[in-house]
Amino acid sequence: MKILLPTALLSLVLTATTSNIDLVNPIIGNTGPEPNYAGGMIPSVAPPFGMTRWVAQTHQNYVSRIPYNYSDSDVIHGFIGTHQPAIWMGESGMIGVVPGLSSSADGEVKARFEERGLRRRNGSETFGVSLYEVELETDDDDDGGGGSIGVAMTATSRVGHLRFTFKTDSAWHPYVLLQSSRPSELFHSTPTASHFNISYPEGWTRVFPEQNRICGYNSEMQDWVIAPISIAQNVENKPKDGGGHGGFKGWFCAAFDRAFDGYGVTQGAEQRDRALEGLGEEIGAYARFEYPSDQEELVVDVRVAVSFISMEQALVNLDNEVPDGTPLEATEQKTRAAWEEKLNLVEVEGGKLEDRRVLMTGVFHALQYPYEQHEHGKYYSAYDDEVHNGESYSGYSIWDTYRAEWGFLLLFAPERIPGMIQSMLQDYKEGGWLPMWKNIVETNIMIATHADSLITEAILKGFESGFDVDLAWEAVWKDATVPPERDWEVRYEDREEGVDYEVRAGLSSSYADPRKGWVDDDVHSESVSRTLDYAYDDHALSLLSVHLNKSPSVTSFLHERSMKAPWLVWNSDATSVDDYVNGEDKVRFQGMTQGFVQGRNVDGSWADPASGFTEGDKWAYSFDVVHDIPGLIEKRGGKEAFVQSLDEYYDGGWDWFGNEPAHHVPYLYALAGRPDLTQYRVRETARANYNDTPQGLSGNEDCGQMSAWYIFAALGFYPVNPVSKEFVIGSPFFDKLTLHLPSLEADASSPFYDAQRGAYTLTVEKCGDPEAIYVKSVAVNGVGVDLYGGSPIIRWEDVYHGGHVVFEMSTTPVYGVSGDAAGIVHEEL
Ligand SMILES: *[C@@H]1O[C@H](CO)[C@@H](O)[C@H](O)[C@H]1NC(C)=O
Ligand SMILES: *[C@@H]1O[C@H](CO)[C@@H](O)[C@H](O)[C@H]1NC(C)=O
Ligand SMILES: *[C@@H]1O[C@H](CO)[C@@H](O)[C@H](O)[C@H]1NC(C)=O
């Protein structure tokens, strides 16, 4: 008799108990050797696209400093509802919830960040997508108090739900403090220096003892300092009902499940017991609770509803999302179910456990942005300081996310796309322009008007209703043709203050003179990056123009600009020889790569080769003409020379993958006839830049772009040119990946339509050695792809309504990985 049965049973048990949600590791990408090399992700709880993310606080957060850092503190200073969307962005309207113990019924309440920290009990912390738990110790010498506080925290989009389990004795008096406002560090940057300047945003609080509630607001909005001045002027000229910047306020209402035994208000280090209201800097309010002398613990449940609209709206949000009497378990279950619905769109088989965890965490990260800014049919707009009806989203890091994150959302969250586009159009109506980097208000962070790409990609991929297409064209046409204010005077440096919407800075200088077409390096910052990015946006709009039947002259105007501009900043004489300080490298790579992008001045002369780039250098940007790869290959002297230049890019140490211009580069080999080298570099890149630890992202997550790269890489194809409706084939990571792609249209006649799920099934499978990284052949729905004959492409139409892709793997490369830069020997992967 064979003994197969137990093994079969075991695997059944394993599949039943390991769900995708358990593969998510929320601490991946939290930290790194420095903020630039860290994902900057926090182990927060909220549903997909949730408005407010709840997290334990180890640090005061501001630009470049996240609220929770796994590697440098075991002290927790409370819990916050944060709206900081990325590590390089500022916080807005955060709310703090801080438990503690006083030594008497009217004893001290520790409100200030430095004083209120409690040590987390070693090993007590657990991170989940919908539940965070920790045990805090209150028996430290300096705290005096005896015992511990257990914390459980979950959240819906606009309500944090926390439960504190105080374990002490009746000599101690538990309290929970709600922090309205705090000292806030504002990041200021000038071309020569940058510094932090402390500011004191206004907070307000009101205790409602008879209703067991504490409400208030926080007017903090750190990135207001870089909002376009037209918005600032518009908003600040309006009458306001108290302090802050314009009218922006993060309102909150905390509803407790039990009567207060006392209460009061704090301001800085001052404490006013029995006070009901406070207004000003560093404001907090607290509720005290009686510790039952006959019991071992006191459990306090608090639901903290948040709103950008008003206190009343916070209560509406509370009633809609976590009504009175809802146990924390039910709130947690609701958020868990929302994540399960999305995470279960993916089925992953084979591969390493670590890689499956990186993949599912990637899906978890990529579905957090942009986040909801609407509140049950209404939203507050910081562009005009008014409340409007409709859906709104914030956290648009478009310079990063147009590359792959948006393409991922089109597949995984199509139901959100019309609302997300309509939200951008509302920003246009209320502020005058489409967003670039919207952090509740526009921030002018990064460059170009890649909303043009987002809108084009969505429309070309079939999203043409649920938003105003005519208005969308009006808005992108403005991007392409209207320069920013004072375009000849302002350099539009990154984070430049006191300037208006940056949009296509340099547009007047680049396109006013028909002999030109580049952004002048002596007039504008980041001139080469801008020239190339604007060319790509023009390319996107030329496709949209065709699709929307605009006049042929409009199309050719855009097309010609897009094809001409990149080569105006191409210096065919530039080489890499002087890039190496190490003599050995200089000899090794001597003269290998000829031709680089380079900035140009008003008078047409070349600028310093190091000038004119953002998040990259001449190396990465010389590969950044995704809409004209054949042109690029020709400029580098043909396919062989182009491949050599890619080898030098990698082997010479020029790849900085943590920055987005590097993301599509490994796929360029395939477009130059060397898919084997794409296969190798994609695997090498994944291994070097992603892992299942807090250091698991080598660069800032940038609102999902780092994770979206990984997801596409794992699938085996990547959107090199996002508006092309084509993906370039790489090397799939897992034995089998099945995606259940939701869609706005049901097609019951499609063989891939799964009526029960209301989704299309896309299967990507490997055959041959599953450990092998090289690809021998690819078949899409039974038809072979001409991978080695020059067309390593999978089309959008092949996958978005399901499909079946089979990769035949090989342990050896089809062409052999030899022949790359200066004979460098590569590690086995
Ligand atoms: C977290 O703290 C560590 C140790 O102090 C530091 O090296 C790292 O840069 C911090 N990470 C972030 C994202 O700030
Ligand atoms: C905490 O626990 C881990 C093992 O879980 C141990 O390695 C570490 O030394 C402990 N730290 C302290 C401060 O006790
Ligand atoms: C810091 O901010 C205050 C106002 O909050 C301002 O008066 C002061 O000039 C700023 N200092 C610097 C160095 O920016």
Side-chain angles (χ1 to χ4, degrees):
M1 199 183 108
K2 291 190 179 173
I3 45 163
L4 280 175
L5 192 60
T7 329
L9 274 179
L10 182 67
S11 76
L12 267 183
V13 171
L14 280 179
T15 20
T17 53
T18 322
S19 85
N20 284 340
I21 220 162
D22 300 321
L23 291 172
V24 175
N25 178 3
I27 201 69
I28 289 181
N30 178 240
T31 184
E34 52 148 297
N36 255 335
Y37 295 92
M41 293 304 287
I42 50 172
S44 59
V45 287
F49 309 105
M51 172 162 135
T52 303
R53 308 199 62 82
W54 287 87
V55 67
Q57 192 184 23
T58 62
H59 293 83
Q60 291 280 35
N61 58 316
Y62 41 85
V63 173
S64 89
R65 174 63 80 77
I66 48 180
Y68 181 97
N69 184 337
Y70 187 76
S71 44
D72 86 343
S73 177
D74 62 356
V75 174
I76 287 175
H77 300 253
F79 303 87
I80 63 168
T82 173
H83 305 107
Q84 183 181 21
I87 182 167
W88 289 112
M89 305 307 285
E91 174 69 283
S92 306
M94 61 99 102
I95 303 304
V97 186
V98 187
L101 295 177
S102 297
S103 56
S104 66
D106 57 359
E108 191 192 2
V109 168
K110 288 175 179 161
R112 293 192 130 172
F113 183 86
E114 306 73 38
E115 285 139 33
R116 70 195 192 203
L118 295 172
R119 263 192 316 117
R120 65 181 156 206
R121 181 155 288 160
N122 198 13
S124 72
E125 203 171 28
T126 58
F127 308 108
V129 302
S130 51
L131 184 66
Y132 167 89
E133 288 181 294
V134 72
E135 191 131 315
L136 304 175
E137 296 177 346
T138 56
D139 52 3
D140 289 4
D141 292 345
D142 41 342
D143 283 303
S148 66
I149 306 173
V151 183
M153 177 165 68
T154 185
T156 60
S157 186
R158 303 158 197 87
V159 182
H161 197 161
L162 296 94
R163 181 167 63 204
F164 301 113
T165 304
F166 297 90
K167 284 192 179 153
T168 176
D169 55 60
S170 52
W172 295 95
H173 301 261
Y175 63 81
V176 176
L177 171 89
L178 271 296
Q179 181 192 34
S180 294
S181 57
R182 60 169 187 170
S184 179
E185 293 200 35
L186 295 185
F187 184 70
H188 295 278
S189 160
T190 67
T192 49
S194 56
H195 66 277
F196 284 96
N197 188 6
I198 199 105
S199 82
Y200 293 89
E202 181 190 88
W204 173 76
T205 195
R206 176 86 166 81
V207 186
F208 299 92
E210 61 292 347
Q211 289 158 306
N212 310 334
R213 277 188 198 147
I214 295 176
C215 301
Y217 69 69
N218 180 2
S219 63
E220 177 174 14
M221 196 191 210
Q222 294 179 335
D223 280 348
W224 189 257
V225 295
I226 47 174
I229 49 164
S230 58
I231 296 179
Q233 284 161 356
N234 178 19
V235 167
E236 289 191 343
N237 285 338
K238 295 196 170 201
K240 47 189 167 178
D241 53 2
H245 303 299
F248 174 81
K249 291 178 188 70
W251 295 92
F252 70 91
C253 262
F256 291 88
D257 70 336
R258 64 192 52 243
F260 298 173
D261 187 40
Y263 53 82
V265 167
T266 61
Q267 180 153 29
E270 274 173 46
Q271 180 180 338
R272 287 184 287 135
D273 228 40
R274 310 305 287 186
L276 284 170
E277 197 168 352
L279 174 71
E281 299 171 358
E282 288 191 74
I283 290 290
Y286 53 88
R288 298 182 189 277
F289 303 95
E290 190 180 2
Y291 195 84
S293 54
D294 55 344
Q295 274 160 40
E296 281 180 4
E297 59 183 40
L298 169 73
V299 179
V300 175
D301 179 286
V302 58
R303 295 162 295 139
V304 188
V306 170
S307 170
F308 294 149
I309 296 174
S310 65
M311 188 168 91
E312 293 69 30
Q313 184 65 37
L315 291 170
V316 171
N317 296 343
L318 185 70
D319 283 345
N320 270 292
E321 297 179 23
V322 194
D324 290 353
T326 309
L328 184 129
E329 284 69 18
T331 310
E332 196 266 333
Q333 189 47 44
K334 186 167 148 184
T335 295
R336 188 182 171 85
W339 277 114
E340 256 163 1
E341 185 192 326
K342 283 297 181 197
L343 294 167
N344 289 345
L345 298 179
V346 182
E347 281 175 58
V348 54
E349 290 172 35
K352 293 195 197 107
L353 175 63
E354 163 171 11
D355 295 344
R356 293 198 297 275
R357 288 169 64 87
V358 170
L359 176 77
M360 292 315 304
T361 305
V363 176
F364 169 64
H365 284 176
L367 291 171
Q368 294 181 20
Y369 313 99
Y371 69 82
E372 294 169 347
Q373 200 188 303
H374 50 272
E375 307 173 33
H376 303 285
K378 294 187 208 172
Y379 67 93
Y380 168 77
S381 167
Y383 293 81
D384 63 3
D385 196 29
E386 303 281 349
V387 175
H388 302 265
N389 292 328
E391 263 177 76
S392 180
Y393 288 87
S394 182
Y396 279 93
S397 182
I398 299 180
W399 182 83
D400 301 288
T401 58
Y402 82 93
R403 298 160 205 269
E405 161 74 3
W406 185 245
F408 164 82
L409 292 177
L410 293 173
L411 287 172
F412 274 67
E415 72 284 359
R416 299 264 177 176
I417 299 297
M420 287 175 178
I421 296 179
Q422 187 58 31
S423 168
M424 293 196 277
L425 297 177
Q426 285 155 189
D427 301 341
Y428 168 73
K429 282 198 285 191
E430 292 150 20
W433 293 93
L434 289 167
M436 296 170 68
W437 213 130
K438 178 187 183 184
N439 185 15
I440 301 180
V441 72
E442 179 55 52
T443 64
N444 278 344
I445 296 276
M446 299 312 296
I447 57 165
T449 55
H450 294 312
D452 305 345
S453 176
L454 264 50
I455 288 172
T456 300
E457 185 180 356
I459 291 180
L460 295 184
K461 290 183 173 175
F463 294 85
E464 289 193 76
S465 58
F467 61 93
D468 184 339
V469 176
D470 292 334
L471 188 66
W473 176 261
E474 179 189 308
V476 296
W477 182 247
K478 182 175 180 186
D479 280 346
T481 55
V482 179
E485 292 294 315
R486 297 169 60 217
D487 195 20
W488 282 99
E489 296 152 53
V490 180
R491 275 187 70 76
Y492 285 100
E493 297 284 354
D494 198 30
R495 312 192 70 92
E496 186 163 348
E497 296 178 17
V499 300
D500 209 348
Y501 271 96
E502 175 171 322
V503 286
R504 293 208 202 176
L507 189 67
S508 13
S509 63
S510 56
Y511 297 118
D513 178 345
R515 287 163 305 176
K516 290 179 63 187
W518 64 85
V519 175
D520 300 315
D521 193 69
D522 45 358
V523 180
H524 287 103
S525 66
E526 303 158 330
S527 65
V528 186
S529 304
R530 288 184 197 279
T531 303
L532 296 171
D533 280 10
Y534 301 172
Y536 167 76
D537 288 335
D538 280 342
H539 160 72
L541 295 184
S542 72
L543 302 183
L544 185 61
S545 171
V546 172
H547 184 87
L548 296 180
N549 282 318
K550 298 293 162 189
S551 84
S553 63
V554 165
T555 303
S556 61
F557 164 78
L558 292 162
H559 176 73
E560 278 163 27
R561 280 200 330 198
S562 78
M563 297 306 278
K564 178 176 149 206
W567 316 122
L568 295 171
V569 291
W570 188 269
N571 182 352
S572 303
D573 297 329
T575 75
S576 57
V577 175
D578 293 330
D579 295 352
Y580 299 95
V581 278
N582 176 335
E584 213 177 289
D585 285 342
K586 192 163 179 156
V587 170
R588 191 158 32 148
F589 297 109
Q590 179 101 39
M592 272 189 53
T593 296
Q594 176 100 27
F596 283 94
V597 289
Q598 190 168 341
R600 289 181 77 173
N601 297 316
V602 178
D603 64 6
S605 59
W606 293 113
D608 180 330
S611 176
F613 300 102
T614 183
E615 292 203 9
D617 56 16
K618 68 176 199 182
W619 276 98
Y621 277 98
S622 292
F623 293 116
D624 195 21
V625 191
V626 296
H627 60 286
D628 189 11
I629 304 297
L632 199 51
I633 292 172
E634 194 192 304
K635 285 282 174 193
R636 276 269 162 92
K639 286 187 178 173
E640 206 171 315
F642 183 73
V643 166
Q644 275 212 348
S645 72
L646 283 164
D647 284 344
E648 187 180 353
Y649 169 78
Y650 284 104
D651 296 336
W654 302 110
D655 179 43
W656 185 4
F657 185 79
N659 281 333
E660 277 70 14
H663 281 196
H664 69 286
V665 177
Y667 291 90
L668 297 183
Y669 282 107
L671 295 172
R674 292 301 301 271
D676 56 322
L677 292 168
T678 286
Q679 294 148 22
Y680 179 84
R681 295 297 185 188
V682 167
R683 291 307 199 87
E684 179 188 58
T685 300
R687 196 185 57 169
N689 294 283
Y690 298 83
N691 64 56
D692 182 24
T693 72
Q695 294 80 29
L697 290 174
S698 70
N700 303 161
E701 174 63 85
D702 289 326
C703 294
Q705 173 56 30
M706 279 293 279
S707 287
W709 184 91
Y710 190 90
I711 296 162
F712 279 113
L715 266 172
F717 46 87
Y718 183 85
V720 168
N721 173 357
V723 292
S724 67
K725 299 177 80 183
E726 291 181 346
F727 301 94
V728 177
I729 295 175
S731 168
F733 297 179
F734 300 98
D735 299 1
K736 186 172 175 186
L737 256 183
T738 307
L739 305 185
H740 302 283
L741 299 171
S743 171
L744 300 186
E745 2 156 346
D747 175 5
S749 70
S750 161
F752 302 111
Y753 188 67
D754 175 345
Q756 211 166 354
R757 284 177 176 264
Y760 293 88
T761 311
L762 170 67
T763 316
V764 177
E765 264 185 284
K766 291 203 276 199
C767 62
D769 183 349
E771 303 287 304
I773 67 165
Y774 296 105
V775 177
K776 197 180 277 175
S777 69
V778 184
V780 180
N781 301 330
V783 179
V785 174
D786 193 10
L787 188 57
Y788 292 91
S791 186
I793 300 296
I794 289 182
R795 292 170 310 136
W796 164 257
E797 287 78 8
D798 296 330
V799 296
Y800 88 109
H801 270 184
H804 190 197
V805 183
V806 180
F807 284 83
E808 187 189 356
M809 304 305 287
S810 163
T811 46
T812 50
V814 169
Y815 289 149
V817 187
S818 59
D820 60 349
I824 291 200
V825 179
H826 292 286
E827 273 177 83
E828 291 274 323
L829 290 177

